[in-house]
Amino acid sequence: MKQTWRWFGPDDPVTLAHARQAGADGIVTALHHLNDGRAWPADEIAARKAEIEAAGMNWDVVESVIVHEDIKTRTGDFRALIDNYKASLRALGAAGVSTVCYNFMAITDWTRTDLDWPLPRGGTALRFDIVEFCAYDVLVLERPGAEADHPAERIEAARRRLTVMSEGDQARLEKNLIGWVPAREFVFDRASFRRALDRYRDLTADGLRQNLLSFLAEIVPAAEEAGVRLAIHPDDPPFPLFGLPRVVSSAGDARAILAAQESPANGLTLCTGSYGAGAHNDLPAMAKEFAGRIHFAHLRNTSREPDGSFYEAEHLDGDTDMVAVVSALLDEEHRRKAAGRADREIPMRSDHGHALIDDVGHGKSPGYTWIGRLKGLAELRGVMRALERPGMEP
């Protein structure tokens, strides 16, 4: 697999030189300063591509061309925004950037209650605590209808938890849940977040799913024409939050998305952490079933708890059999090579690294540390190297 690295552009404290030293050959990035729904100009794409190539790597994956909320709800300027999306795909394809990761999560990106959860051996990880989330959703945000989305025992546990949280703890929780998302130019406060939620008040999961399929019906042909492979990223976590519908959370969801547009341009990002946070998902089985349409892989691991909480585990620990997943992806690469496919190499990246040693206190975005991701990438590289030896498959 092609070893890649997510980079947030020139302002990222983890530089292209850091990525190269970590062993990456490819870069995963976007034009974050233009990622608000406008069409990406060819000269901006060319400049970013040249910057990456000057550092000795290739721009292998765009993560992401943002899907505007108007598109997800099919309101407002959604028609013009879809046209802009098509224009960006054409410009990327013309520049030779041929894989685009995107998501269809309503309002939120990946969501965690704790961005600095202490690990037993030192360092910190990302964590989602279902009780703390409930405390914010029901008792702080006071979202209408929230109590119906949580069992009574969880709400009672949330009330107890809130009594021992200081004002600072509550402010931190709110910032983590609604005020911080990587590579977003704006942040929500409580009032603006409530307004954003209100846009989805009458949109059911079936409605959001239909909006996704309508979007695919328009952009997949444009991607195919541009020579671009689309790779939808799953919901993170893979269950509803804040009453918002989720439509990319299971093998069944992935199956429906791929069946809706049978084009090779319509594919998946296999994020083992996002899917893996749900006990209903069998990642080795999904890697095998969807192998031919997996265009990108985020390889990370999570450890689940019985109540639905989870934290970001070591890349080779946690609840997902990472060796089995990597084996399935390498098998698919061998099939593609035998078939003469141009996309025989699947780009992958380590993801959501722990904050370790010099990562701590150096301004690196939570989950996008240097040493933590370097460690994860090195471990995954070792797995790949071992599996590529005859007789070493699990």
Side-chain angles (χ1 to χ4, degrees), residues 9 33 54 85 92 109 118 123 188 226 266:
H33 62 298
Y85 207 99
L92 287 164
D109 201 282
F188 289 112
N266 180 32

Side-chain angles (χ1 to χ4, degrees), residues 342-390:
D343 62 341
R344 65 191 64 178
E345 196 171 35
I346 300 170
M348 56 75 71
R349 66 176 179 86
S350 61
D351 197 12
H352 290 194
H354 294 162
L356 304 172
I357 316 170
D358 286 351
D359 289 331
V360 179
H362 282 68
K364 299 176 179 66
S365 296
Y368 301 103
T369 58
W370 181 42
I371 296 173
R373 283 187 291 167
L374 178 154
K375 179 175 180 284
L377 184 59
E379 292 170 343
L380 294 165
R381 184 183 305 128
V383 170
M384 290 187 290
R385 186 68 59 88
L387 289 173
E388 287 167 349
R389 293 179 61 193

